[in-house]
Amino acid sequence: ERQDGVRKNVELYPDPIFNSDGEVIGGVNMLFDITERKVAEEERAKLAAIVQTSDDAIISKRLDGIITSWNDAAETTFGYSADEMIGQSITKIIPPDRLDEEPKIIGQIIKGERIDHFETERVRKDGGRVCVSLTISPVKNSKGNIIGVSKIARDITKRKKADEATARLAAIVESSDDAIIAKTLDGTITSWNQAAERLFGYQEEEIIGKSIRKLIPPD
């Protein structure tokens, strides 16, 4: 504790002082201030806890693609445990038809560029493919040199399937020979297909947002 009451983290290196007869007559203590190091260790511990408990797969690797960290969500997403993946190449989870993505990603990272929300596919341990959105950032050392890559992979398989299902339904609606109209409970039109345009004569931009009563005769 300092004179002003502030506490410091220190490492102690005490040594005895001997007289000419070999008797201990005192001691000398060397103290190293490690406060900044302790703060940095605590910050690293917090970050490690966040990474480990994240719902997103968080992976770090060297510039040659060798994996150096693998969190629990990565195991859930890809099926491999940390023991199986650390020390292995990231290409283990890249499909053969997408291997050309890796050198392009590393090329951008070496330039110091961050890659946000890059959607692609990766391979699970069971051989199944998973759709992921990748956010990739360079990892720098204390001198500012890029020494690796940090990658966050969010599983978007369910969203992609939902998008595909929506697109299929939209294609069916748009190509139908029947007029298909959607409206809110108060009668406001929210969608209008081409068959509705042919049947009623109104174009989509003329009718969406209008009341369905526009099509209903007064009687």
Side-chain angles (χ1 to χ4, degrees):
E1 185 174 304
R2 287 165 43 94
Q3 185 179 16
D4 58 11
V6 174
R7 292 197 175 191
K8 308 287 277 185
N9 294 103
V10 295
E11 279 185 354
L12 307 178
Y13 293 90
D15 281 305
I17 296 174
F18 301 95
N19 64 13
S20 58
D21 296 325
E23 298 170 335
V24 176
I25 59 171
V28 59
N29 200 359
M30 186 163 53
L31 292 81
F32 284 97
D33 185 350
I34 59 168
T35 305
E36 289 185 5
R37 192 188 81 190
K38 292 292 285 186
V39 170
E41 287 174 353
E42 288 172 4
E43 287 301 315
R44 281 197 296 270
K46 289 177 188 174
L47 287 173
I50 291 169
V51 167
Q52 204 55 37
T53 59
S54 172
D55 291 332
D56 295 325
I58 302 179
I59 304 163
S60 60
K61 62 183 181 181
R62 302 195 313 240
L63 292 177
D64 61 3
I66 299 301
I67 295 166
T68 55
S69 74
W70 184 268
N71 72 341
D72 289 346
E75 181 173 344
T76 302
T77 302
F78 301 110
Y80 293 99
S81 68
D83 290 341
E84 291 176 293
M85 289 307 290
I86 291 177
Q88 301 294 315
S89 172
I90 195 68
T91 56
K92 192 168 182 175
I93 60 171
I94 301 178
D97 58 329
R98 293 181 180 267
L99 285 173
D100 62 329
E101 293 177 355
E102 182 63 10
K104 291 177 183 176
I105 288 170
I106 294 298
Q108 286 185 253
I109 291 298
I110 289 173
K111 294 177 184 176
E113 298 174 2
R114 173 186 166 99
I115 302 169
D116 282 319
H117 308 303
F118 172 57
E119 294 190 4
T120 185
E121 290 184 341
R122 292 295 180 257
V123 180
R124 289 176 47 83
K125 184 178 181 179
D126 60 13
R129 291 204 178 192
V130 56
C131 298
V132 292
S133 174
L134 301 178
T135 297
I136 308 165
S137 305
V139 175
K140 299 179 181 180
N141 63 14
S142 58
K143 296 180 180 178
N145 298 322
I146 296 170
I147 58 171
V149 181
S150 172
K151 184 178 294 186
I152 300 174
R154 176 163 293 178
D155 187 348
I156 58 170
T157 305
K158 290 182 180 178
R159 194 200 79 192
K160 293 290 282 186
K161 287 182 178 178
D163 289 346
E164 289 169 5
T166 300
R168 283 196 296 269
L169 287 172
I172 291 168
V173 167
E174 201 53 41
S175 61
S176 173
D177 291 330
D178 297 321
I180 301 177
I181 304 164
K183 61 182 181 179
T184 61
L185 293 177
D186 65 1
T188 301
I189 296 169
T190 56
S191 74
W192 184 265
N193 72 344
Q194 290 182 1
E197 183 178 328
R198 289 193 298 270
L199 183 62
F200 297 110
Y202 293 101
Q203 293 185 347
E204 186 179 26
E205 57 268 23
E206 294 178 292
I207 201 73
I208 286 182
K210 300 294 178 23
S211 173
I212 195 70
R213 293 177 183 275
K214 193 165 185 175
L215 308 179
I216 302 174
D219 58 342

